[in-house]
Amino acid sequence: MRKMDGNGLKVVFMLCLAFVTTGGQSFESTVSQLLRDETEDLKCFVDRKKDLTCFWEVEEARNDQYTFMYSFENKKKMPCVVSSRFVLASNKTVFFCKLPKTLFFVALDVQVFRDGRTLYNRSLKAENVFFVDPPRNLTVMSSGKEGQLNVSWLPPLLKHMDDIMIYEVRYAVEGSHMGKVEEKAASTMLVLRDLQSGTRYKVWVRVKLDGVSYKSYWSSWTDPVFADTLPSDMDLLIVLLVLSIGLILFLLSLTVILSHHKFLLKKLWPDIPTPEHKFPGLFTVYKGDFKEWMSQNNGSIWGRSVHVFTEEPPSPVEILSEVSPTSYDTSPREERKPTEEVEESERTDSGLMGGWREPPHANWLMEQLRALQENPESLSQSTLLQSHDTYVALNQNSQHVQEVSERQTDDVFEETLPLQALFTTEGTSSLSASHSDLGSLPQSSGSGRLSSQSSFEDPNHTWPPKGPGYTYMAVADSGISMDYSPMSSSNIAELRKHRIYTNEYKNEIFGNKWPFSSQHVESGY
Amino acid sequence: MFHGSGLFALLLMVLEWTRPGLSSPLRPICDLRVLDLYIKEAWDAEAAIRACKDDCSSATNFTVPLTSVDFDVWEAMNIEEQAQEVQSGIHVLNEAISSLQAFNQTDVIQSHIDATISNIVSIRQVLRSLSIPEYVPPTSGGEDKETQKASSVSELFQIHVNFLRGKVRLLLASAPVCHQGVS
């Protein structure tokens, strides 16, 4: 029963002690902090109730007897009851004594004896060893401005001492170990400036007395409070960079456009083509009067435009041909090839030739030429050739022809001669019905000489035969190649009977590259 | 004669308006930073005298007030009792420090003594501004119990600092004039 009473008293005592110390910072936390901060061996502090407590730590918990004596103003020394406690946070055992009455603004002498020997001796003043509680209700909010935070708190419960407190605010970016500290006196709010935008910050606050009338240790830090700064709406640097880049791009594009403005203008706004350059003077001199312009430039422009590639006026050549279905049908098969070739080549120029009908093939022409040689008078009535047209006559003087051909080959540019061809006589059918190249001058012996003559005789004048030395040939112009076929008198006679297809052929000699680009052929019956 | 009486009346009116030499109602000085300034200067004097280690002056045995404050007891006292204790202590300190001028001391110490005497006059003005009752000397034959003895000049200035930091400041902090309108 007595043991239970003793144990019960101890429990009650511990509970009362715990109740007393729970109002503010706990005894253990205060002791733990002072064990770190206070350099004196005998550590003393005054709590918020203005009670002074002194304590000291021991290495090993032994059953030593400690005596604690104190005196104010050098008056009579009084004893203090020594107690012990194990501080879990520091893992140490401390002995402490809480004075029953504390006088301020007066000298206090404290002595600790262990087993009759002085362990500690200290003289202090109670108003200089205050230990204040940390600030209360720490609040951190955004101030509404970029990079700022509003920090506010309440002072610890310490009567009549609110105006002598100094606060220290510590803040750091969350996760960072580098923090900044700002001090504030006699005010319970602070604005943190120059913070990073859109960042989470951690804030602590602690307090101490200013030391003029009362001095204290720094309190412990409050629990940290987190807050976010406002994100930057518009980073000025980014805005400036974007604007400068935009300006540079604009200037570059402007430079490119100005340097190529002609090209771009031509592409986007092409000039309307005008034929003005084809009609020199029409719009400038004659003010668009085409009739007058035509009268002044009487056909020469047309001739020039048509014969733009010629180097000399063309010579009209009349081509004699005969439409003879029967003779055509009986012609050998092998001769059909050149004939067909002629037909095909002639069909390409049908628009110009005005409907060239079945031209005579080579053999048939050869026969006609033989007949003509035999009866040259039959040609006198021929109306094949107009007097003012150039006609083709063949000369049997092979030697002369050969010389001529050689000379002509060497000297004369092919395009200067209206027509030239060399044919062989004496029955040789070397007369090629088709000459792909007008300017070709095959060198063969016994070839005839081709000469061109243009006569401006009376239209009624018949074509006089040249005699037996001349052979008349039919020239088939396909537009691509010209076929020369000798004509006989019989053939010519037949031509008189049948419809005669005559072509006023104005030979246009072009370059080798372009033998027959433009030909003007008149057809007549 | 009429002119003389008129001038006299005018002079009385002016004197009544200015009230020279009489306690004019001062604006209450509730800011404790004023007293804190005097306390800091008292610290400086105490530190300077402590440095010379009692060789600054040969004066000894000073009567000084008690400086100890028991908060429980102090808070149980009324304003008049607190005012009486503070006013009597200031009176005793003023007499003790003023007695030093009769002794030889260095120029540095003399300057601190002069500053302390001037500050005591200012503190009295502050108390007057707060309508603190003036010091009433004890009745003849009775000793002031609220005094003690200081054996040296250094101890004298220590008492001076402690008295200002303690009782005087507590009285100014609890002056009723400074807490009017606050529930």
Side-chain angles (χ1 to χ4, degrees):
Chain A
M1 194 68 173
R2 288 180 182 175
K3 280 188 178 179
M4 287 177 65
D5 292 337
N7 291 333
L9 284 171
K10 283 183 182 177
V11 170
V12 171
F13 175 75
M14 292 304 292
L15 287 172
C16 290
L17 190 63
F19 177 75
V20 166
T21 56
T22 51
Q25 190 164 347
S26 65
F27 175 78
E28 288 192 1
S29 62
T30 303
V31 168
S32 300
Q33 184 169 340
L34 287 177
L35 285 173
R36 296 190 303 267
D37 297 342
E38 178 60 81
T39 56
E40 294 279 350
D41 294 330
L42 181 61
K43 308 174 197 304
C44 300
F45 66 93
V46 174
D47 57 19
R48 64 190 181 96
K49 290 182 180 294
K50 296 186 178 60
D51 292 326
L52 186 140
T53 303
C54 291
F55 66 93
W56 61 97
E57 63 176 315
V58 294
E59 295 296 333
E60 295 177 359
R62 297 176 297 180
N63 292 326
D64 294 331
Q65 293 293 326
Y66 291 95
T67 304
F68 187 93
M69 303 298 290
Y70 72 96
S71 64
F72 285 106
E73 292 180 306
N74 297 321
K75 291 182 178 178
K76 183 180 179 182
K77 291 189 180 181
M78 291 173 290
C80 179
V81 178
V82 177
S83 304
S84 65
R85 183 177 291 185
F86 178 75
V87 179
L88 189 63
S90 303
N91 194 24
K92 290 177 181 178
T93 302
V94 294
F95 288 89
F96 64 95
C97 174
K98 186 175 180 180
L99 302 185
K101 186 174 73 171
T102 304
L103 298 179
F104 293 86
F105 307 106
V106 69
L108 172 65
D109 294 318
V110 180
Q111 286 179 319
V112 177
F113 300 93
R114 184 173 61 184
D115 298 331
R117 289 181 293 180
T118 302
L119 185 60
Y120 302 114
N121 188 2
R122 183 180 174 185
S123 179
L124 65 144
K125 288 183 179 177
E127 68 273 10
N128 295 332
V129 291
F130 270 90
F131 190 89
V132 293
D133 294 330
R136 300 171 293 138
N137 291 9
L138 176 60
T139 308
V140 183
M141 293 186 300
S142 174
S143 67
K145 293 183 181 179
E146 189 178 333
Q148 289 187 5
L149 286 175
N150 282 347
V151 185
S152 63
W153 58 89
L154 292 178
L157 291 174
L158 199 59
K159 197 173 181 182
H160 301 312
M161 293 184 182
D162 297 352
D163 55 344
I164 58 168
M165 290 183 179
I166 295 177
Y167 301 95
E168 195 172 67
V169 179
R170 181 162 67 104
Y171 57 98
V173 176
E174 185 185 15
S176 171
H177 297 288
M178 300 295 294
K180 291 185 180 179
V181 170
E182 287 200 24
E183 205 170 272
K184 192 72 183 291
S187 177
T188 57
M189 62 176 297
L190 177 68
V191 178
L192 300 176
R193 302 177 196 274
D194 300 329
L195 303 177
Q196 298 177 16
S197 302
T199 311
R200 193 166 177 83
Y201 277 87
K202 209 173 178 182
V203 182
W204 303 262
V205 181
R206 65 177 182 177
V207 63
K208 77 168 185 178
L209 302 179
D210 64 355
V212 177
S213 295
Y214 301 94
K215 290 183 181 179
S216 71
Y217 303 99
W218 277 112
S219 70
S220 58
W221 291 103
T222 59
D223 292 331
V225 173
F226 296 87
D228 297 315
T229 53
L230 289 177
S232 61
D233 295 331
M234 199 78 78
D235 194 349
L236 185 63
L237 182 62
I238 292 173
V239 170
L240 289 174
L241 282 174
V242 169
L243 287 176
S244 60
I245 289 169
L247 185 66
I248 290 167
L249 288 174
F250 173 74
L251 291 174
L252 280 173
S253 60
L254 195 66
T255 306
V256 169
I257 289 170
L258 289 175
S259 62
H260 297 87
H261 73 280
K262 289 184 179 176
F263 173 76
L264 291 173
L265 208 62
K266 199 178 264 185
K267 286 292 178 184
L268 296 174
W269 211 322
D271 295 332
I272 299 172
T274 60
E276 192 171 339
H277 64 281
K278 295 285 186 182
F279 304 92
L282 173 60
F283 295 101
T284 54
V285 178
Y286 299 96
K287 308 298 179 187
D289 190 347
F290 189 75
K291 284 186 180 176
E292 184 147 353
W293 180 79
M294 276 296 292
S295 63
Q296 296 297 328
N297 301 285
N298 186 18
S300 61
I301 300 299
W302 285 107
R304 196 182 310 138
S305 65
V306 174
H307 306 288
V308 63
F309 295 104
T310 57
E311 296 185 6
E312 68 176 23
S315 303
V317 174
E318 182 175 337
I319 301 172
L320 302 176
S321 64
E322 178 185 300
V323 180
S324 175
T326 54
S327 62
Y328 186 74
D329 292 338
T330 56
S331 61
R333 194 178 176 82
E334 62 262 20
E335 297 176 354
R336 202 176 279 274
K337 183 178 178 182
T339 305
E340 291 176 351
E341 188 176 346
V342 169
E343 289 180 354
E344 291 173 359
S345 63
E346 287 175 352
R347 285 199 191 97
T348 59
D349 286 338
S350 61
L352 291 171
M353 299 169 68
W356 177 265
R357 298 193 183 176
E358 301 172 354
H361 50 83
N363 288 337
W364 178 79
L365 288 174
M366 284 291 292
E367 292 173 358
Q368 295 300 324
L369 281 172
R370 281 193 213 101
L372 185 62
Q373 283 181 347
E374 293 171 0
N375 298 311
E377 299 84 357
S378 63
L379 280 177
S380 62
Q381 297 179 5
S382 168
T383 59
L384 293 175
L385 295 176
Q386 299 295 327
S387 60
H388 63 275
D389 295 331
T390 302
Y391 56 89
V392 177
L394 293 177
N395 193 344
Q396 284 188 326
N397 191 347
S398 63
Q399 186 65 30
H400 180 63
V401 167
Q402 188 173 8
E403 293 175 356
V404 169
S405 67
E406 289 175 355
R407 184 172 59 252
Q408 286 175 348
T409 303
D410 296 334
D411 301 330
V412 178
F413 187 54
E414 298 164 351
E415 289 73 15
T416 58
L417 301 173
L419 276 175
Q420 282 192 7
L422 297 173
F423 298 89
T424 57
T425 57
E426 298 183 358
T428 60
S429 61
S430 66
L431 268 175
S432 173
S434 64
H435 291 273
S436 62
D437 189 359
L438 172 65
S440 63
L441 298 172
Q443 299 195 15
S444 56
S445 60
S447 59
R449 182 189 72 179
L450 186 64
S451 64
S452 63
Q453 297 181 11
S454 59
S455 62
F456 296 92
E457 298 171 355
D458 187 31
N460 294 326
H461 181 74
T462 58
W463 182 28
K466 295 292 180 178
Y470 288 89
T471 306
Y472 292 91
M473 61 174 290
V475 179
D477 181 17
S478 65
I480 297 173
S481 63
M482 294 187 71
D483 298 332
Y484 301 95
S485 306
M487 294 176 62
S488 62
S489 60
S490 62
N491 188 21
I492 293 171
E494 288 183 9
L495 286 175
R496 281 192 297 152
K497 294 176 186 176
H498 299 279
R499 288 174 290 175
I500 298 171
Y501 187 82
T502 62
N503 293 327
E504 181 181 348
Y505 178 69
K506 290 183 181 179
N507 187 19
E508 297 171 355
I509 307 299
F510 302 96
N512 288 331
K513 301 176 184 178
W514 199 259
F516 300 100
S517 66
S518 174
Q519 295 166 358
H520 177 71
V521 180
E522 292 181 2
S523 62
Y525 292 89
Chain B
M1 186 154 181
F2 178 76
H3 293 290
S5 60
L7 286 173
F8 181 72
L10 182 62
L11 183 62
L12 284 176
M13 290 167 60
V14 171
L15 288 173
E16 182 64 26
W17 179 59
T18 54
R19 289 194 180 183
L22 295 177
S23 60
S24 56
L26 298 172
R27 184 174 59 87
I29 302 174
C30 296
D31 192 351
L32 291 173
R33 290 178 293 181
V34 176
L35 181 63
D36 289 342
L37 175 63
Y38 303 140
I39 294 171
K40 290 176 184 177
E41 291 183 354
W43 276 114
D44 296 338
E46 191 268 339
I49 291 170
R50 184 162 19 93
C52 68
K53 292 182 181 180
D54 296 332
D55 292 332
C56 308
S57 175
S58 59
T60 57
N61 292 331
F62 303 98
T63 302
V64 291
L66 298 175
T67 59
S68 60
V69 174
D70 188 339
F71 281 98
D72 295 332
V73 174
W74 179 266
E75 289 172 359
M77 295 167 64
N78 56 26
I79 189 66
E80 288 79 14
E81 291 172 343
Q82 293 176 359
Q84 184 63 28
E85 190 163 336
V86 169
Q87 290 286 18
S88 66
I90 288 174
H91 174 76
V92 171
L93 276 174
N94 189 39
E95 288 186 351
I97 291 173
S98 298
S99 67
L100 286 175
Q101 291 179 341
F103 297 89
N104 293 327
Q105 43 266 337
T106 62
D107 295 337
V108 176
I109 301 304
Q110 188 62 47
S111 65
H112 283 292
I113 291 171
D114 295 338
T116 301
I117 292 172
S118 173
N119 290 342
I120 287 173
V121 173
S122 300
I123 289 170
R124 279 179 171 168
Q125 289 293 333
V126 171
L127 291 172
R128 190 175 291 122
S129 71
L130 299 177
S131 303
I132 301 296
E134 294 288 335
Y135 168 69
V136 176
T139 57
S140 57
E143 245 184 51
D144 196 354
K145 295 181 180 178
E146 301 294 328
T147 61
Q148 60 179 333
K149 294 293 184 185
S151 60
S152 65
V153 177
S154 176
E155 189 177 352
L156 172 62
F157 277 88
Q158 288 180 11
I159 296 299
H160 174 245
V161 169
N162 293 333
F163 188 76
L164 293 182
R165 293 167 63 197
K167 291 181 178 179
V168 176
R169 198 174 193 282
L170 285 169
L171 180 63
L172 292 179
S174 60
V177 177
C178 299
H179 297 280
Q180 289 179 358
V182 178
S183 61

